């Protein structure tokens, strides 16, 4: 049986199923965006669908480090909104 690919969350640093994580990608064009399809090419970093993990990653500047690129406030705000929605959807 094939296992689901595992990726490390940049916040809590736990290995999780790829499909449980959100991917943030730096495109070859130098844009940083949230990759909802998982198919965007470029260098990616993964986060749990949990605001706490985003906060932890922000504190350690791990998104920037992993992507070797600054992550704009706009991207972070968009991520927060998306994570909020994801966690709301799960609890209801
Ligand atoms: Zn996490």
């Amino acid at each position: 049986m094939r296992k689901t690919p595992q990726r490390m969350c940049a916040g809590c640093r736990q290995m999780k199923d790829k499909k449980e994580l959100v991917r943030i990608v730096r495109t070859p064009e130098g844009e940083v965006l949230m990759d909802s399809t998982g198919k965007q090419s470029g260098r990616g970093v993964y986060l749990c669908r949990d605001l706490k993990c985003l906060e932890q990653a922000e504190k350690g500047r791990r998104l920037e480090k992993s992507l070797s690129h600054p992550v704009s406030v706009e991207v972070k705000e968009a991520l927060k909104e998306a994570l909020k929605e994801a966690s709301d959807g799960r609890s209801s």
Side-chain angles (χ1 to χ4, degrees):
M1 244 175 41
R2 272 185 71 145
K3 281 182 115 180
T4 320
Q6 303 258 301
R7 293 291 181 274
M8 193 178 74
C9 167
C12 60
R13 300 195 149 177
Q14 283 180 34
M15 299 297 288
K16 303 245 174 153
D17 283 4
K18 204 177 159 187
K19 62 184 175 188
E20 286 181 37
L21 303 169
V22 289
R23 181 169 184 250
I24 300 112
V25 68
R26 177 174 62 123
T27 68
E29 289 78 34
E31 264 186 302
V32 175
L33 45 89
M34 211 179 76
D35 177 18
S36 46
T37 64
K39 286 173 185 158
Q40 178 76 48
S41 65
R43 189 180 177 129
V45 59
Y46 293 84
L47 272 179
C48 301
R49 296 176 192 276
D50 191 329
L51 279 173
K52 280 186 203 137
C53 290
L54 177 61
E55 281 164 15
Q56 276 187 50
E58 273 189 325
K59 261 186 218 162
R61 297 185 62 79
R62 292 196 201 124
L63 300 181
E64 285 87 347
K65 277 179 198 161
S66 300
L67 298 171
S68 313
H69 196 277
V71 179
S72 69
V73 177
E74 287 81 3
V75 171
K76 285 178 186 166
E77 286 302 315
L79 267 170
K80 268 180 208 166
E81 287 304 311
L83 293 181
K84 249 186 247 170
E85 266 174 39
S87 46
D88 288 352
R90 189 176 276 185
S91 60
S92 63

